[in-house]
Amino acid sequence: TLLNKLTNAKSKVAAYSFTTTSVIPGMMLYKDAYIQIFDIPGLLEGASKGKGRGKEVLSVARNSDLLIVMSDVQRVNYIEKMIQELEAAGIRINKVRPNALIDKKPTGGITIHTNIKQDLSDLTIKEIASEMGIKNAEISIKEKVTIDSLIDSFSTSRVYIPAIFVVNKIDQGNTKKVSNYLKISAEKAIGLDNLKEEIWNKLRLLRVYLVHPDEEPNFENPIIMREDDTLSLVAEKLGTNFSNKKLAKIWGNSAHFPGQEVPTSIKVKDKMQVRFL
């Protein structure tokens, strides 16, 4: 139901669990961006061990840019169970990869560099690295780590994905216990605008509007970028004719004055209008 309300999809809807038996795609248009959303089969306890097509479901989850983890108002506790299954499969939700750099060497054993007092001894860190198959390396640790976070930093199978936690069917029950979750009713279209905005924010998207040389600034030619992208990356996306551009003119809230000339090394802002020179 949610997929159908957010996108152009026509996914099967029925009043029983596990109606979705395969991955169903849909495309949501929001703020000039086309965002692809996949409805995937429900996540069972034991999914991380392969139960209930768990490997297939988790494979799709691992390759996504954002997860919507959803249950309904009668089964809010299922959200925590799904998080546990995702964590067991090496998917880290709303977390940042530990700041530990590993420079592997052909010989020389393991050397540890850190200017932060760690609760773990160098010997423990070396033993963990060895268990993870790291035999010769320089390890630079730039934050305080635990055994679990250190294992995550050494593992190539961990993925870090943002997530939104959603409680559906709020029109059918008490919502006092779900204050930490985004509350919606897909069937009644309650809270869907908030969900769309949260999706946009979690994906860190923004709009840049391209202004042709013979045009006045307008909002007719959008290109979707992410926070921290630069104008040079916008130029690269436009093709080889623009990839070597070093200067641009910008309009909008990010400009000190209309048509300000700037280097393409600056970061883009939402609703920035740009003409490459």
Side-chain angles (χ1 to χ4, degrees):
T1 302
L2 180 61
L3 184 74
N4 293 345
K5 288 292 178 73
L6 293 179
T7 75
N8 58 356
K10 300 188 184 304
S11 184
K12 180 182 177 182
V13 176
Y16 53 84
S17 300
F18 301 103
T19 313
T20 302
T21 57
S22 61
V23 178
I24 309 295
M27 193 71 74
M28 180 179 79
L29 176 61
Y30 186 66
K31 292 185 178 181
D32 293 323
Y34 286 94
I35 301 171
Q36 192 169 42
I37 301 177
F38 295 93
D39 185 17
I40 61 179
L43 203 60
L44 295 173
E45 285 190 82
S48 58
K49 298 178 182 178
K51 185 177 179 181
R53 303 179 68 181
K55 291 184 178 180
E56 176 187 342
V57 173
L58 291 167
S59 176
V60 177
R62 289 180 65 87
N63 289 284
S64 65
D65 296 306
L66 173 68
L67 298 177
I68 298 174
V69 182
M70 183 173 73
S71 188
D72 61 52
V73 73
Q74 304 296 339
R75 297 174 289 187
V76 177
N77 62 311
Y78 282 25
I79 290 179
E80 188 57 40
K81 291 181 180 180
M82 285 188 281
I83 294 172
Q84 291 171 3
E85 291 298 332
L86 292 166
E87 288 278 339
I91 299 173
R92 299 293 178 256
I93 302 297
N94 290 338
K95 295 179 180 177
V96 178
R97 183 179 294 277
N99 196 353
L101 303 177
I102 304 164
D103 184 14
K104 291 187 177 181
K105 304 290 185 181
T107 59
I110 295 173
T111 305
I112 299 167
H113 306 285
T114 182
N115 57 4
I116 298 170
K117 182 175 174 54
Q118 302 288 342
D119 294 333
L120 304 179
S121 67
D122 284 1
L123 178 59
T124 299
I125 294 172
K126 289 180 180 180
E127 288 175 346
I128 294 171
S130 182
E131 287 292 323
M132 299 298 294
I134 300 169
K135 305 299 182 184
N136 302 287
E138 288 192 14
I139 300 173
S140 301
I141 303 174
K142 300 184 178 181
E143 65 182 23
K144 198 159 189 174
V145 295
T146 64
I147 290 177
D148 287 341
S149 65
L150 199 60
I151 290 172
D152 280 354
S153 67
F154 291 159
S155 175
T156 57
S157 65
R158 302 292 190 265
V159 293
Y160 294 80
I161 304 175
I164 303 169
F165 304 115
V166 175
V167 173
N168 191 20
K169 302 183 181 179
I170 61 167
D171 55 311
Q172 297 181 15
N174 191 332
T175 62
K176 289 183 179 179
K177 296 182 179 179
V178 295
S179 58
N180 294 330
Y181 302 133
L182 188 63
K183 298 182 284 293
I184 70 166
S185 170
E187 184 178 4
K188 304 294 184 183
I190 298 171
L192 298 192
D193 287 342
N194 291 338
L195 176 56
K196 290 177 182 179
E197 184 66 15
E198 189 66 11
I199 290 171
W200 176 271
N201 291 334
K202 280 284 190 177
L203 288 172
R204 302 172 64 246
L205 300 178
L206 48 78
R207 296 155 290 183
V208 175
Y209 294 93
L210 306 174
V211 181
H212 295 295
D214 56 347
E215 289 181 338
E216 291 296 314
N218 60 70
F219 296 99
E220 295 180 359
N221 299 295
I223 184 169
I224 305 303
M225 305 299 293
R226 290 182 184 269
E227 293 175 16
D228 296 328
D229 285 344
T230 62
L231 281 176
S232 61
L233 185 56
V234 176
E236 286 178 20
K237 285 195 170 188
L238 295 177
T240 54
N241 290 338
F242 291 85
S243 59
N244 62 347
K245 298 292 186 180
K246 302 299 182 185
L247 294 172
K249 285 187 176 182
I250 61 172
W251 293 261
N253 294 335
S254 53
H256 294 303
F257 54 87
Q260 179 187 358
E261 191 170 303
V262 297
T264 56
S265 57
I266 70 165
K267 292 182 180 180
V268 295
K269 301 291 184 182
D270 192 34
K271 294 186 178 181
M272 176 185 281
Q273 298 158 297
V274 58
R275 176 190 294 149
F276 290 101
L277 301 178

